[in-house]
Amino acid sequence: KQVAKSTLTTGMPDLLAEVACGGVSTAAVSAALNPVDVIKTRRQLERFSERRALEIAQSLWAEGGAAALWRPGLAATIAREIVYSGCTKGLYPVVRDAISGDADPTLPQRVAAASATGFGGSICANALDIVKVRQFDQPRRYPSLPAALRQIATEEGLLSGLLLRGVSASAPRGAAIAVGEVTTYDQAKSWLKQHYADGFGMHVTCSLITGVVATTVAAPFDLLKSRVMALC
């Protein structure tokens, strides 16, 4: 609690460090898991087929091996996570403690803080999310991330094409994931510490609980977001 509170009093450098650590760490994980995200998005966007995830993976591998799984949308994935997770994980402790004041935060206060940071982070990262989804679906559609942003803004409009397309699904998704990730981890750890020693096992358990909850609550919004953002 005191570590999080210090962000409010030590100024901008510590806040920027929190945002950078939150964004870079999640971007590294997302880059490593990019093939899973590619397969998931391809399956969400299947129009005439009900192929299973393994079938999609085999098809991509046949097209170009590991590169066909990892390369699509990789730059957009990294950039999107730096922005979204930087806001969510970096700003969450600050917003949570601003809401709770000097008292220990309650579950509703944790939910409110995670929702606010996740909602705002998704809006900030919306343009990058659009490029990521489209490059997952059609890897050769744009030559690069900057080129994609320019082309979409020129052809479809900066607001309607990039900043606002799919935001009605992506922002609630971001809030749901933030609540599922940050709040669930925070609350699960608080509960488990009452009965078990704080150690590696507890962190693994909290992470497993967090992953299940975050994926489940965000699934409907994730499907809508992918389908709307892929349209042009």
Side-chain angles (χ1 to χ4, degrees):
K1 181 73 173 176
Q2 292 301 321
V3 173
K5 289 275 189 194
S6 66
T7 309
L8 295 172
T9 58
T10 55
M12 189 60 67
D14 286 341
L15 177 59
L16 293 177
E18 291 282 348
V19 171
C21 289
V24 172
S25 61
T26 308
V29 174
S30 295
L33 297 176
N34 201 57
V36 178
D37 211 3
V38 171
I39 294 168
K40 178 207 71 175
T41 303
R42 284 286 185 97
R43 194 172 187 197
Q44 289 175 332
L45 298 176
E46 287 286 341
R47 288 147 177 106
F48 308 107
S49 171
E50 293 297 332
R51 292 187 300 170
R52 297 182 178 181
L54 182 58
E55 293 173 323
I56 295 174
Q58 291 172 336
S59 175
L60 287 169
W61 185 270
E63 291 177 13
L69 285 166
W70 254 285
R71 187 177 299 168
L74 183 58
T77 292
I78 294 172
R80 188 262 176 193
E81 289 304 329
I82 288 175
V83 175
Y84 168 75
S85 296
C87 292
T88 304
K89 294 180 173 64
L91 296 179
Y92 168 75
V94 179
V95 176
R96 178 197 63 194
D97 293 333
I99 293 173
S100 63
D102 294 330
D104 288 333
T106 63
L107 179 57
Q109 289 172 334
R110 289 185 171 119
V111 170
S115 298
T117 54
F119 195 91
S122 287
I123 292 175
C124 293
N126 197 68
L128 299 168
D129 223 349
I130 290 172
V131 176
K132 184 186 80 166
V133 168
R134 293 188 180 186
Q135 288 185 323
F136 282 175
D137 185 33
Q138 302 177 51
R140 297 178 180 85
R141 185 170 181 175
Y142 307 107
S144 65
L145 173 58
L149 293 171
R150 287 195 299 270
Q151 183 175 332
I152 295 171
T154 301
E155 296 178 356
E156 302 173 40
L158 179 61
L159 284 177
S160 59
L162 280 176
L163 300 182
L164 297 181
R165 180 182 292 278
V167 76
S168 59
S170 67
R173 173 187 178 272
I177 286 182
V179 171
E181 285 183 345
V182 184
T183 303
T184 301
Y185 186 91
D186 205 4
Q187 190 67 31
K189 186 176 179 182
S190 177
W191 283 338
L192 290 174
K193 283 177 69 175
Q194 298 175 17
H195 306 284
Y196 305 99
D198 188 358
F200 178 74
M202 179 186 292
H203 289 276
V204 172
T205 302
C206 292
S207 297
L208 291 174
I209 295 171
T210 295
V212 172
V213 173
T215 302
T216 302
V217 299
F221 301 109
D222 198 35
L223 176 62
L224 292 172
K225 174 188 74 74
S226 294
R227 293 195 174 184
V228 172
M229 288 182 171
L231 297 174
C232 63

